[in-house]
Amino acid sequence: MAEFTMELNDEQKEVRDWLHGFAADVIRPAAAEWDEREETPWPVIQEAAKVGIYSLDFYAQQYFDPTGLGIPMAMEELFWGDAGIALSIVGTGLAAVGVLANGTEEQIGTWIPQMYGDANDVKVAAFCSSEPDAGSDVASMRTRAVYDEAKDEWVINGTKTWATNGGIAGVHVVVAVVDPELGSKGHASFIVPPGTPGLSQGQKFKKHGIRASHTAEVVLENVRVPGSCLLGGKEKLDERLARAKASGGERVRNAAMATFEASRPAVGAMAVGTARAAYEVALDYARTREQFGRPIIDNQGVAFQLADMRTQIDAARLLVWRASWMAVNGRPFTAAEGSMSKLFASETAKRVTAQAIQILGGNGYTREYPVERMHRDSAIYTIFEGTSEIQRLVIARTLSGMPIR
C-alpha cells in the first residue's frame, strides 16, 4: 500500500508539467471559440490523441497509480485549461470507469479500446444513467432491460438524459432496471455496441456552461444487445439480485453507484482546476491593475479575498487527494470522504470564480476575460454526478447511520 503523501514524485511532476503545457498551448487558445460554437472540439481531442493524452494507455497509467494522485493531478491540469474542452477529452473516462468497476476482464479488454479509437480515428463513449424523471432519485429509473433467454439477448427500452457524448458516442454504457421490485438494487449496466439498431440521439442541450462538451438525450427503442454485453455477466447479476432480495432493507451496491463512487474525487479535481485557473487570473489582474495610483492588490479588500481563495483551493485539493488515495488503496469511505471531496471542491469552484469576477470588476463580466466563462462552467460541479445536496445527504447518512431524508 502506498503511503499518503502531499508531494508528487518526479515522474508525476513530469506528467503534470506535460499536461500543463498541453492545456496552456492547445486547450486555452481554443477555449473561447468552442464555447461560442457549442460543438465538440474534435480537432483538440485528436491533438490530445496524437500526443497520447486521449488514450487508454494514458488513462490506465493514471488510474492505476498506487498513490491515487494520477487521475486528480491530470484532471486538475486539463480543467485548468478549460472545463468544456477538458470534459470532451475526459468524458469517455466515465464510461470506461463503469466498465472497469463492473466488467469482466474480457469485457474490459474488448470494449474500452473501442471507446477511444486511435489518433487517426478518434472515438468517444457515453455513460447513460440519468433520466427525465430520475436524476438524483435513481430508484425512479424507468429504462428497462428484459432478458430474452431464447436468444441470449437483453432488450432495452427507455430514455436517458444529460449524457455526455450521448448519441455521438460509439460505445454507450447504459444503466437499466432488470428487477423493478428491488428499486435501485435491481439495476444493471449494459454495453450498447456501435451501430446497434434502436439507439438514437434525442435532444441536444444548449447549456449555461461547459458548452464545448456534447450533452444530449439518448433514446433506446427495442435495443437488443448480446448477453455478453451485461457488465459482470448474468451469473454475477443473479447472485447480486438474490442477495438483495434476501437482505430486505440492507444496502446492496449497484453498478451505477459504484461508478459514481469511483469518480467523485475526480470531479472534485476538475473543480479544483477551474478554481485555480480563475484565482490565477484574478491574482495577475490584481497585481497589474492600478486604481488611485497603486495596484488594487494593495487594498485589504482585494488581498484578503485572494488569500481566502487560495486557502479554499488548497483545502479542496487535499480533500480530493485524500479520497483518491483511499479509493486506490482500498480504504473504505467510513466518513463519506469521496462525497466530502466533491462537495467542498465544487462549492469552492463556484465561490472562487465568482470572487474572481468581482476582483476584475466590469472586465470580469465581459467575454474579453476568461473568468466569466469559468464561472459559468463551475456551476456544473455542484450538479452533475450527485448534487451538493445529495453529497450532504450521503455524508450525513454515513456519519449518523440514520436514513436521513
Side-chain angles (χ1 to χ4, degrees), residues 46-369:
Q46 187 168 28
E47 193 65 27
K50 287 180 179 178
V51 300
I53 293 173
Y54 186 76
S55 70
L56 172 60
D57 289 344
F58 174 75
Y59 191 84
Q61 181 182 2
Q62 305 313 313
Y63 185 83
F64 292 111
D65 181 341
T67 70
L69 303 185
I71 288 293
M73 175 268 295
M75 295 299 114
E76 179 177 338
E77 292 305 327
L78 292 173
F79 280 74
W80 172 89
D82 176 67
I85 292 178
L87 190 57
S88 291
I89 293 173
V90 307
T92 293
L94 185 59
V97 167
V99 177
L100 282 169
N102 306 294
T104 64
E105 289 187 9
E106 182 179 356
Q107 289 170 332
I108 292 169
T110 298
W111 295 111
I112 293 184
Q114 293 188 46
M115 292 180 174
Y116 289 91
D118 57 49
N120 296 317
D121 187 20
V122 171
K123 305 292 185 184
V124 294
F127 183 78
C128 308
S129 178
S130 294
E131 298 184 1
D133 296 317
S136 299
D137 183 11
V138 294
S140 297
M141 189 177 293
R142 295 180 181 177
T143 297
R144 290 289 306 276
V146 178
Y147 185 57
D148 183 343
E149 189 171 359
K151 295 184 177 181
D152 186 26
E153 292 179 339
W154 288 89
V155 184
I156 309 174
N157 283 280
T159 299
K160 294 296 181 178
T161 193
W162 308 121
T164 298
N165 297 329
I168 66 171
V171 175
H172 290 75
V173 178
V174 176
V175 183
V177 178
V178 294
D179 191 333
E181 294 182 1
L182 292 176
S184 62
K185 301 173 186 177
H187 296 174
S189 291
F190 299 85
I191 293 285
V192 180
T196 300
L199 184 148
S200 61
Q201 179 183 309
Q203 174 187 5
K204 178 188 174 184
F205 296 103
K206 296 180 71 66
K207 304 186 300 294
H208 175 67
I210 56 167
R211 301 196 303 193
S213 173
H214 177 97
T215 310
E217 291 180 332
V218 174
V219 180
L220 304 109
E221 297 180 308
N222 292 321
V223 170
R224 284 182 169 268
V225 299
S228 60
C229 287
L230 167 65
L231 288 182
K234 192 160 189 310
E235 182 177 346
K236 183 177 179 181
L237 172 65
D238 290 342
E239 291 175 356
R240 179 167 62 81
L241 295 178
R243 289 198 307 272
K245 291 175 181 177
S247 68
E250 295 180 14
R251 182 179 181 271
V252 177
R253 183 182 135 177
N254 66 54
M257 293 312 297
T259 301
F260 289 134
E261 287 171 6
S263 63
R264 277 173 180 159
V267 176
M270 299 173 188
V272 171
T274 300
R276 191 184 109 212
Y279 159 77
E280 290 177 2
V281 172
L283 178 63
D284 182 65
Y285 186 88
R287 284 171 169 165
T288 57
R289 171 69 168 174
E290 291 191 0
Q291 289 286 280
F292 305 106
R294 61 181 183 175
I296 63 173
I297 200 170
D298 282 358
N299 299 300
Q300 281 190 3
V302 173
F304 283 10
Q305 281 195 74
L306 289 163
D308 287 342
M309 292 158 74
R310 177 59 186 266
T311 301
Q312 291 158 9
I313 291 167
D314 282 12
R317 183 185 296 108
L318 289 175
L319 284 172
V320 166
W321 282 17
R322 179 184 69 167
S324 300
W325 174 83
M326 291 176 69
V328 166
N329 288 282
R331 295 290 184 93
F333 288 161
T334 56
E337 288 87 350
S339 290
M340 282 185 184
S341 69
K342 199 256 184 193
L343 170 65
F344 189 82
S346 59
E347 295 289 346
T348 292
K350 284 186 68 175
R351 186 164 50 248
V352 166
T353 54
Q355 287 176 300
I357 290 177
Q358 193 69 23
I359 289 172
L360 269 68
N363 286 329
Y365 200 65
T366 72
R367 295 189 185 181
E368 296 300 313
Y369 289 80

